[in-house]
Amino acid sequence: MNKKLSIIFLFLSLMIWAQKPTLFLIGDSTMSNKDNPDKNPEHGWGQVLPQFFTSGIEIQNLAMNGRSSKSFRTEGRWDKIEKQLKKGDFVIIQFGHNDQKLKDSTKFTNPYTQYRANLERYVNETRAKGATPILMTSITRRNFNENGVLIDTHKEYSLVVKLVADAMKVSFVDMQLLTEQMEISAGPEKSKLLHLHFKAGENPYYNKDKADDTHLSRFGAESVAKLAVKALKPLNIGLEKYIK
């Protein structure tokens, strides 16, 4: 009997050991998967992330359009992820765009109180499952003024992410800084290629003029994903061994 139990225990241990780790992505539309990717010009950076990782890790992009750190939880989306989390997994947390929406009580959070508390809770609950949280600031918007200066739109929200990461000793990637540098390097005109700028009829997906400076083209999504991967590699949290 003891021998049988030992064999069963060994078998179960091997099954657990053989399980792939999962990288979960939680955030908003700048990260999320888009419908009709073969035809749709818009892509989230999380949507194209798997091409930069080996088959040794599973990537679940659960980011969703229009969600904030508040609504992602109140809609039960985090609860489904938390139930799946296991030791050795990773969670990238990137909110902020929709937490700013003052006219939407289901999404808005005060940056220094509720937003901060939400981020801390995601971190604590991820760690409680033996998984590794990674905090990221929002990607910047293409917001050049008439003088060609890129103007920040996130204000306190990005600062709070940094403060939480520092206080809780969480792995951190400043995507706002990295994408600001990318936009500035491209300049006011070429940076349009990173986003969704089309004249009516120029792209069959849009029958009207399109000028979206928040969301990403496929080129923009891949450019942002490359920045994220490059920044994740030196964190030395175990994720780097799955990066191509």
Side-chain angles (χ1 to χ4, degrees), residues 60-71:
Q60 286 197 36
N61 184 11
L62 284 309
M64 185 60 59
N65 295 4
R67 270 52 181 194
S68 70
S69 67
K70 178 181 180 180
S71 62

Side-chain angles (χ1 to χ4, degrees), residues 29-30 34 42-43 139 194-196 212-217:
S29 57
T30 59
K34 311 300 176 184
E42 183 181 345
H43 285 68
I139 66 169
L194 299 166
H195 299 278
L196 304 169
D212 182 339
D213 292 317
T214 297
H215 300 99
L216 301 165
S217 64

